[in-house]
Structures are given as C-alpha cells and as structure tokens.
C-alpha cells in the first residue's frame, strides 16, 4: 500500500480525503473517519477551504510525524489484512477497484483476477436477471448506504449466504466517487438460524396438533400460552390469555370434594421445583358432566433463575374413568355371579393365580380337602399341600400352564383315600380346576373289568369245549356218508352235506369268537411295526385267492406304527379278504394308503366293490352281523367286529365310508411309532 505522510517529504503537506483513501486503498468514508479521530487527538490538523474540499496535514514536529505515520500505516494494513470481511472499493459504475484478504478468502478470487471486473460477478444468475446489483447501487446512491442479504457466488461456482453493506463515497462537494462494499459470509449462521426455525416450526406444529392440552403458567398462575386442545378442555378464550388465572377453575377429587388451591399440582411445582405427574381430578364446568382430567406439571427452567414458569399438560380421561367405573361394576357383578355359580357347582372347584395362590375355593373343595377358606388365604397350593408337589398332580398342573392347553386326568389320592378326576383349564392368569370324586365309578369299573375278564375266560372255555363236539358231529356225518353211501338216496346225501356245512360254519364262528375273546388277554405288547411288512405277509397268505380273482392291490409306502404285528395282520387280512369277496362281477381293485395326522396315522383300504348302504355302516362292526345270506357271500360276520376290537386295543378307531355300487373305504387310526426301526 502506498505510504502517506512519510518522513520529511510530506510533513506539513496537505492531502484531501480522497487522496488519503486512494493511497490507503480503502473507502473514503472509512479514511475520513480515521483521519477525524487522529485530528481529534491532535495528531493531524484539518481545514475546509472555500472550495469545500477538506484537507489534512501533519504538524512539522518530527517525533509526532513519525508516530502519526506509523498509526496511519497500521490502519491501512488492518483494512488490507482483515479476513472475516470482504472489504473492497467500487467505481461509480460498479467496477471493482481494490481487494483485501477477507475478500480473497470469502469469494475465492485473487486481486489480479477480480480488480477491474464488475461486482455483479458475485451475484446469482437470477439476481442479475432481475437487476439486483444495479438496484443496490441505486439505493446506496440515493440513501448513502444499503444493506442486503442473499445468495452470492464464489469463484468456484459454489454459493454462500452473504450480508452486504454498500456505502456511497462522495467528495467534499458531494460528487459520487464510488462505493465501499463490505461482505460477510453468513452461511453457517443462516443454516443455524434455518435449523432453529425448523425446530421452532416443528415444536409449534406439535404444540398445536398433539391431542393433549398444553399451557404455560407464570409465577402468578396466569396463562401465558395455551394450545387449542387446552383452550377447549378448560373452556377459555384465547383472548383471555395473559389475564386469566388457572385458579378460576374449580377442581374436585374422586369424592367430589373441592381441591384446595395449595393442593393443586402447579402449587407443588412452584414450591419444590419438582415435577408432578398424573394428578387426576374432575373439573366443574357449565354443560359438562364430570369431566375428568389427568394433569402433569413440569417446571420450565432456564438455569439462570428459580422456577418462574410451568408447563402443564392436560388430558381428558373422562372416557377412561367411565370405562374404569364400568369395569369395576362389572367385576363386582361377575364376582357375585361367579360366587353364585360356584355355589351351584357340585364338583370341588378351586382357582390358582400365576403364583399358584388360591383365588377361589368352593365349599365342596373345602369338604373334599378338609381345608377352610381361611386356611388358604394368600397361600400357594404347594404350601397348603406339600405332599402333592411331587408326582403326577404336580406334573399335570405345570404342563398345563406351560402348554396353555386344558387337560384331564385321574389319580388316587392317598390323603383323602379316594379316586379323583381332575379337569384343568389354564389361562394367562393361572388355573381353574374342577375335581370330581370317582371312587364309586372306579370300583364299578374294576368290578366290570373283572366281570369281563371272567366272561372272556368263559367264552374262551365254552368256545374251546364246543370245538370237540362239533368235530365229532362232522366226523360221524362224514363216516355215515362213507359207510352207507350206497344206501343213501339223493336227499339223504344233501341232508348230510347241509349238516357238515353247518358244523363247519359253526366251528368257524367258534374260532372267530375265540379270537375275539382273546384280543386283550392274548395280545402282545405294542412295539414299532412296519405296515409295509404286515401288508406283504397278508398278501402272501391270500395269494391263492388273489390269483384266482386276478385282484390288483395298489399301495404307497406305508409307515411304522406302534402295534401288535400279529393282530395288525389279522386286521389287514380281514379288510383285504372282504374287499375281494365283495368286489362284485368286476376285477377286484384295492388301494391301501396312509396319511399322518398329528401323533397318529390314518390308514385306509379302498375297493371298487358293491358298497354298503350308509344306514348299515354301524351294523357291519357288530358281532355276527351279516348284510347278506350265506348263499350270496360266505363269512362268519365276526371279522369286522374283531378288527374293531383290535384297533380299539391300539387306542384307535375304525369306520367306513361307502355308497351302494360305489365301493367302500375302511379307515382306521394307529399311533405313530415313537422310535421307528432303521
């Protein structure tokens, strides 16, 4: 920068403001301000001649001259070195005449690149198209100074938000000499302000749209602000804010007793500085019946002073309160109804919660377990009955809770010396248990089983003993036919044939009855059994009949089940034999299939034979029940009854689906093998 007032050569030499500004390369206005300050301190002398152009000069004292020179050089260097502001000169037409370090940093141009260019270079295309640069110069010319904010463009094309001050520079006679332009990069501040504005807008939006009343109280308990929800809940007008106190609203507790002012939540907050939550009360307002409110009061602190404002949130809980009252009333009604029901239940009943504690206990349970209700209060089942905490009862209870599935079981209770039937119903809140004493039924069942066992023994003995006389009858009839064949006429031979055939049928029936009576007593333990193997063996046994009738047997892969292989062979043989026997005139076609259903298999044997009338599907499983005469179809009428008993022994069931002329499908269920053979 050009030196001004240098040693010796300028002492006492007058300079105009414009000359000083030119040498300092700063705006004339800034130069004049600094020169005036120096003159006020006696460092410079000044005079305004008749021409109107103010002049400045230094006193001739050498020491003072050197000091002043240093100060002026320091000021000029400051303007040039400023980095936070872009400070530069413009000609009257807007051409850039000077450039400081701040301008270089902010705008990205070096002095050589930009001096001599028009200052509109820094404006966006949109602003240039609208003539913003020229307008700013016009305003500065008219007003002396103009301030503007907007987007400006750097040398690399990026934008920044700028605060710009343009000041007109005039000489002593008022002629426009140019402009000073001071620019500050406000991008970060603008982003911060925009972020604050967005947050304020968001808070304002939440404040007005949240479905909860929000209001602010000052230290005098006067509303200073409230959203629409709060205005509606408290039935106040927005125009009253700033004048209306919250103490003007009467509040009542659940007993309809007025709540004193000192007991209200905002009083507590002002007093202690601590928040109060879920303060429930009823507000008494015209046209509103028992409007219940939940109030939260929180101090609004700025960290500089004690609590002087409170934020209050208000929620209308009238519906919630009404539902709560209805539920409590319904609970009372249900407890009364439950008490009446439990009083009418003839079984012992008790209920346990999730901690196994008794919640209900009727008089039959008290009588059965010999415990009064007082002895059970607040006590768990296992505490009252410690001996029952191990074994079947404990396992069944705990499994029902874990699986959340009802269960029933029977057990002998040594403590009450009785057989008990338990029906257990789990829920998320515990167990409901019905207990029925079945000692009489168990004793009757035991007697019945003993009676059945004796009957089976009798049937077996009778069947076995009848076989010998029948063999004798058959043998003697055959002997009679052989010895007296020449003496017997045709009718006699026919009679003998009928007698032998009847004896044979009687023997087959006895053998079938014998097998029927021995299903339980002579059966082998159930074990993993391959049904493919069973079917193969049965087909081998029936191979002659299969070959004679040209029977086609189709089967998919059959599963392994828990069963008595000998008895299952009997079932398959009975069903296949019937399917062939009742095939009608067509070639017998039989299909054997199996389908998994949970823990069991459903096996089916289908044929295309003569079928069965649906009205007779139950009869076919009765002992010695036949749907056809002996002349039409052979058989004893015990095969399906025997099959049913075998399947029932395996814990399954058997049934038939059939229509006359459309064939029959026999289904039976068997338990799946727990450990299939490999």
């Amino acid at each position: 920068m050009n030196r001004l007032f240098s040693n010796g050569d300028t002492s006492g030499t007058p300079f105009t403001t414009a000359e000083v500004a030119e040498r300092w390369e700063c705006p004339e206005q800034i130069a004049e301000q600094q020169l005036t300050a120096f003159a006020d301190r006696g460092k410079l002398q000044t005079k305004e001649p008749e021409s109107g152009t103010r002049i400045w000069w230094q006193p001739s004292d050498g020491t003072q001259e050197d000091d002043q020179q240093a100060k002026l050089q320091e000021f000029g260097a400051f303007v040039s070195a400023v980095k936070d502001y872009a400070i530069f000169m413009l000609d009257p037409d807007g051409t850039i005449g000077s450039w400081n370090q701040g301008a270089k940093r902010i705008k990205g141009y070096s002095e050589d690149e930009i001096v001599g260019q028009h200052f509109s270079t820094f404006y966006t295309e949109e602003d240039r198209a609208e003539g913003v640069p020229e307008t700013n110069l016009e305003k500065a010319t008219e007003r002396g100074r103009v301030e503007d904010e907007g987007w400006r463009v750097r040398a690399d094309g990026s934008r920044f938000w700028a605060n710009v001050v343009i000041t007109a520079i005039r000489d002593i006679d008022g002629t426009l000499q140019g402009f000073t332009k001071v620019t500050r990069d406000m991008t970060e501040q603008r982003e911060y302000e925009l972020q604050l504005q967005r947050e304020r807008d968001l808070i304002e939006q939440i404040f007005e749209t949240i479905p909860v009343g929000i209001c602010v109280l000052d230290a005098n308990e006067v509303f200073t602000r409230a959203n629409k929800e709060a205005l509606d809940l408290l039935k106040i007008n927005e125009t009253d804010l700033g004048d209306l106190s919250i103490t003007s609203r009467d509040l009542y507790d659940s007993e309809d007793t007025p709540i004193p002012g000192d007991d209200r939540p905002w009083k507590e907050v002002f007093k202690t500085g601590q928040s109060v939550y879920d303060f429930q009360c009823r507000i008494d307002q015209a046209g509103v019946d028992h409007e219940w409110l939940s109030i939260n009061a929180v101090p609004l602190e700025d960290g500089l002073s004690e609590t002087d404002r409170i934020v209050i949130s208000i929620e209308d809980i009238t519906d919630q309160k009404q539902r709560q009252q209805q539920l409590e009333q319904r609970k009372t009604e249900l407890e009364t109804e439950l008490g009446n029901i439990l009083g009418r239940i003839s079984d012992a009943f008790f209920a346990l919660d999730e901690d196994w504690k008794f919640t209900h206990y009727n008089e039959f349970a008290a009588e059965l377990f010999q415990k009064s209700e007082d002895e059970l209060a607040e006590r768990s089942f296992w505490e009252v009955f410690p001996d029952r905490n191990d074994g079947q009862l404990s396992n069944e209870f705990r499994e029902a809770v874990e699986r959340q599935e009802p269960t029933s079981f029977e057990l002998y209770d040594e403590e009450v010396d009785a057989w008990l039937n338990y029906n257990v119903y789990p829920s998320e809140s515990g167990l409901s248990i019905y207990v029925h004493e079945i000692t009489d039924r168990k004793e009757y069942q035991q007697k019945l089983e003993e009676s059945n066992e004796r009957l089976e023994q009798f049937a077996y003995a009778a069947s076995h003993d009848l076989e010998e006389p029948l063999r004798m009858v058959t043998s003697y009839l055959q002997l009679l036919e052989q010895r007296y064949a020449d003496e017997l006429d045709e009718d006699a031979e026919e009679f003998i044939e009928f007698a032998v055939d009847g004896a044979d049928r009687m023997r087959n029936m006895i053998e079938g009855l014998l097998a029927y009576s021995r299903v339980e007593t002579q059966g082998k333990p159930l074990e993993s059994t391959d049904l493919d193997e069973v079917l193969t063996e049965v087909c081998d046994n029936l191979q002659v009949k299969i070959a004679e009738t040209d029977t086609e047997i189709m089967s998919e892969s059959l599963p392994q089940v828990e069963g008595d292989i000998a008895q299952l062979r009997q079932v398959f043989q009975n069903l296949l034999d019937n399917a062939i026997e009742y095939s009608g005139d067509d070639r017998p076609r039989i299909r054997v299939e199996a389908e998994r259903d949970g823990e069991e298999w459903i096996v089916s044997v289908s044929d295309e034979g003569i079928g069965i009338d649906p009205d007779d599907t139950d009869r076919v499983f009765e002992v010695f029940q036949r749907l056809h005469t002996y002349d039409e179809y052979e058989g004893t009428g015990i095969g399906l009854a025997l099959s049913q008993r075998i399947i029932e022994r395996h814990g399954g069931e058997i049934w038939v689906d059939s229509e006359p002329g459309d064939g029959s499908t026999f289904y039976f269920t068997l338990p799946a093998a727990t450990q299939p053979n490999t």
Side-chain angles (χ1 to χ4, degrees):
M1 189 170 98
N2 292 333
R3 296 170 62 86
L4 182 63
F5 304 123
S6 60
N7 290 332
D9 61 351
T10 59
S11 177
T13 302
F15 291 91
T16 65
T17 303
E19 289 173 329
V20 174
E22 181 179 359
R23 292 196 181 190
W24 282 354
E25 296 184 358
C26 71
E28 187 172 330
Q29 184 180 13
I30 295 176
E32 184 172 3
Q33 291 173 353
Q34 186 62 36
L35 291 169
T36 300
F38 287 150
D40 291 341
R41 296 197 297 270
K43 305 299 183 182
L44 290 177
Q45 293 186 6
T46 181
K47 183 178 181 181
E48 186 174 351
E50 293 180 359
S51 63
T53 301
R54 181 172 291 279
I55 58 175
W56 313 82
W57 73 92
Q58 273 186 306
S60 59
D61 184 286
T63 303
Q64 186 179 27
E65 178 183 343
D66 291 342
D67 183 60
Q68 185 64 25
Q69 176 65 30
K71 289 182 180 295
L72 292 173
Q73 287 179 348
E74 180 182 351
F75 175 74
F78 166 76
V79 173
S80 177
V82 167
K83 294 184 178 181
D84 290 336
Y85 293 85
I87 303 174
F88 53 95
M89 297 287 297
L90 300 177
D91 290 342
D93 63 354
T95 301
I96 301 168
S98 67
W99 199 248
N100 76 335
Q101 290 297 317
K104 180 180 179 180
R105 184 187 69 81
I106 293 173
K107 297 179 180 291
Y109 294 94
S110 67
E111 186 175 4
D112 295 339
E113 291 176 317
I114 199 62
V115 171
Q117 301 292 325
H118 195 270
F119 86 112
S120 61
T121 301
F122 310 131
Y123 286 76
T124 65
E125 292 183 4
E126 297 84 357
D127 285 350
R128 291 200 300 269
E130 295 178 4
V132 173
E134 293 77 8
T135 300
N136 284 343
L137 290 185
E138 291 173 3
K139 291 180 179 179
T141 301
E142 294 173 1
R143 305 171 186 173
R145 181 178 181 275
V146 66
E147 185 173 355
D148 181 31
E149 283 196 5
W151 291 110
R152 297 294 184 267
V153 182
R154 296 188 180 94
D156 61 4
S158 62
R159 292 187 176 194
F160 68 98
W161 188 262
N163 174 270
V164 178
V165 177
I166 302 176
T167 305
I169 303 174
R170 298 181 182 274
D171 60 16
I172 298 302
D173 60 5
T175 302
L176 181 66
Q177 298 297 313
F179 304 90
T180 61
K181 191 168 186 288
V182 181
T183 303
R184 183 182 179 188
D185 185 352
M186 304 290 288
T187 306
E188 291 185 2
Q189 180 176 335
R190 175 175 169 79
E191 286 298 322
Y192 178 69
E193 290 174 351
L194 289 175
Q195 179 63 27
L196 287 179
Q197 185 60 46
R198 284 192 290 268
E199 291 178 358
R200 283 194 296 267
D201 291 343
L202 177 60
I203 292 172
E204 186 68 23
Q205 185 178 13
I206 293 173
F207 184 77
E208 290 299 336
T209 59
I210 189 172
V212 174
I214 303 290
C215 57
V216 180
L217 299 181
D218 63 15
N220 296 319
E221 301 181 15
V222 172
F223 294 101
T224 61
R225 189 173 184 193
N227 67 355
K228 184 178 183 305
E229 188 74 16
L231 295 174
D232 292 342
L233 285 173
L234 297 175
K235 302 296 185 294
I236 59 178
N237 296 320
E238 190 171 4
T239 56
D240 293 332
L241 294 178
D243 299 321
L244 185 64
S245 171
I246 197 170
T247 58
S248 63
R249 292 294 180 264
D250 294 329
L251 303 179
Y252 300 85
D253 61 18
S254 59
E255 304 296 329
D256 280 344
T257 302
I259 300 175
D262 290 342
D263 292 342
R264 300 186 181 190
W266 44 89
K267 283 286 190 182
E268 182 71 16
V269 176
F270 278 126
K271 180 180 178 181
T272 66
Q274 301 297 316
S275 301
V276 175
Y277 295 101
D278 196 25
F279 181 89
Q280 296 186 3
C281 60
R282 185 177 62 78
I283 186 169
D284 189 15
Q285 298 184 127
V288 177
D289 294 331
H290 300 283
E291 187 172 66
W292 281 92
L293 303 177
S294 173
I295 298 175
N296 297 330
V298 180
L300 188 59
E301 300 174 343
D302 56 13
L304 301 177
S305 60
E306 295 182 357
T307 301
D308 61 354
R309 287 183 299 166
I310 292 177
V311 176
I312 295 179
S313 68
I314 308 170
E315 185 177 1
D316 184 353
I317 59 171
T318 304
D319 291 343
Q320 176 184 332
K321 276 288 187 179
Q322 290 175 347
R323 286 196 297 271
Q324 181 179 345
Q325 291 171 355
Q326 291 171 354
L327 288 174
E328 289 176 353
Q329 181 179 356
R330 182 57 179 156
K331 178 183 177 183
T332 301
E333 294 173 352
L334 288 174
E335 287 178 345
T336 301
E337 184 177 349
L338 178 61
N340 294 333
I341 292 173
L342 294 180
R344 294 194 296 268
I345 293 177
S346 59
D347 287 344
F349 170 82
F350 60 93
L352 307 175
D353 64 16
E354 61 271 17
D355 296 322
W356 305 101
K357 291 183 178 180
F358 287 92
T359 59
H360 293 89
Y361 192 77
N362 70 356
E363 59 181 283
F364 295 103
E367 181 180 348
L368 177 64
F369 294 112
Q370 299 178 357
K371 300 286 184 181
S372 67
E373 254 188 274
D374 293 338
E375 294 178 87
L376 307 178
E378 297 299 320
R379 300 180 68 189
S380 76
F381 183 87
W382 312 118
E383 182 182 357
V384 177
F385 302 111
D387 294 339
R388 293 176 171 86
N389 197 10
D390 186 22
Q392 182 183 357
L393 185 67
S394 173
N395 294 338
E396 295 282 1
F397 279 10
R398 298 180 192 278
E399 186 174 353
V401 170
E402 181 179 349
R403 299 177 61 180
Q404 284 295 296
E405 294 181 359
T407 186
S408 61
F409 56 92
E410 299 175 356
L411 58 78
Y412 178 74
D413 192 310
E414 294 183 356
E415 291 194 27
V416 298
D417 189 24
W419 277 93
L420 304 178
N421 173 255
Y422 282 83
N423 288 284
V424 182
Y425 300 91
S427 68
E428 294 182 358
S429 59
L431 292 176
S432 297
I433 301 145
Y434 297 84
V435 186
H436 182 68
E437 183 180 350
I438 56 171
T439 304
D440 292 342
R441 192 192 78 188
K442 291 294 288 187
E443 291 176 351
Y444 176 77
Q445 181 179 345
Q446 184 176 357
K447 292 178 180 179
L448 186 61
E449 289 174 354
E450 293 173 354
S451 175
N452 287 340
E453 184 177 352
R454 289 194 295 270
L455 287 174
E456 287 180 2
Q457 292 174 351
F458 170 76
Y460 172 75
S463 300
H464 183 272
D465 292 344
L466 285 173
E467 282 187 317
E468 183 59 30
L470 280 175
R471 280 197 296 270
M472 182 182 298
V473 170
T474 302
S475 298
Y476 276 105
L477 286 172
Q478 291 173 344
L479 183 61
L480 179 64
E481 184 179 22
Q482 292 171 4
R483 289 188 178 183
Y484 301 100
D486 295 338
E487 301 178 17
L488 298 175
D489 59 15
E490 186 175 338
D491 289 339
E493 289 181 354
E494 184 178 5
F495 295 156
I496 292 174
E497 183 180 349
F498 286 157
V500 171
D501 182 60
D504 289 340
R505 288 201 304 272
M506 178 64 74
R507 184 171 61 254
N508 291 335
M509 292 175 67
I510 291 172
E511 290 176 352
L513 183 60
L514 188 60
Y516 185 84
S517 67
R518 299 170 67 182
V519 167
E520 296 290 342
T521 57
Q522 299 297 315
K524 296 180 179 179
L526 305 186
E527 59 185 6
S528 182
T529 303
D530 187 344
L531 291 185
D532 277 329
E533 179 182 340
V534 172
L535 180 61
T536 299
E537 293 179 2
V538 170
C539 289
D540 290 341
N541 294 341
L542 296 174
Q543 61 179 329
V544 174
K545 191 168 186 177
I546 291 173
E548 289 178 350
T549 56
D550 192 22
T551 297
E552 179 183 5
I553 298 178
M554 297 162 285
S555 173
E556 59 183 26
S557 178
L558 299 179
Q560 290 188 341
V561 298
E562 290 292 323
D564 180 335
I565 188 171
Q567 291 186 344
L568 293 182
R569 277 198 299 265
Q570 184 68 58
V571 172
F572 272 90
Q573 183 154 330
N574 289 342
L575 294 179
L576 291 179
D577 191 42
N578 283 351
I580 296 173
E581 182 71 23
Y582 297 99
S583 62
D585 298 330
D586 298 329
R587 176 191 179 191
R589 295 179 181 274
I590 304 170
R591 175 173 293 278
V592 182
E593 298 175 314
E595 178 182 355
R596 184 71 179 253
D597 183 21
E599 299 299 320
E600 62 184 14
W601 286 93
I602 301 176
V603 183
S604 63
V605 178
S606 304
D607 63 56
E608 301 174 359
I610 63 174
I612 303 171
D613 191 311
D615 293 338
D616 295 327
T617 53
D618 291 334
R619 285 181 55 206
V620 297
F621 294 104
E622 297 177 9
V623 177
F624 299 137
Q625 286 293 324
R626 294 174 49 84
L627 304 182
H628 305 278
T629 65
Y630 288 108
D631 293 335
E632 294 176 305
Y633 295 99
E634 296 181 355
T636 61
I638 202 171
L640 290 178
L642 177 61
S643 298
Q644 183 182 49
R645 191 165 191 198
I646 290 173
I647 296 301
E648 288 176 349
R649 186 212 166 201
H650 285 70
E653 57 180 330
I654 185 171
W655 68 96
V656 61
D657 183 10
S658 181
E659 289 288 342
D662 290 335
S664 302
T665 300
F666 283 84
Y667 299 92
F668 58 92
T669 60
L670 293 171
T674 54
Q675 294 181 342
N677 295 328
T678 57

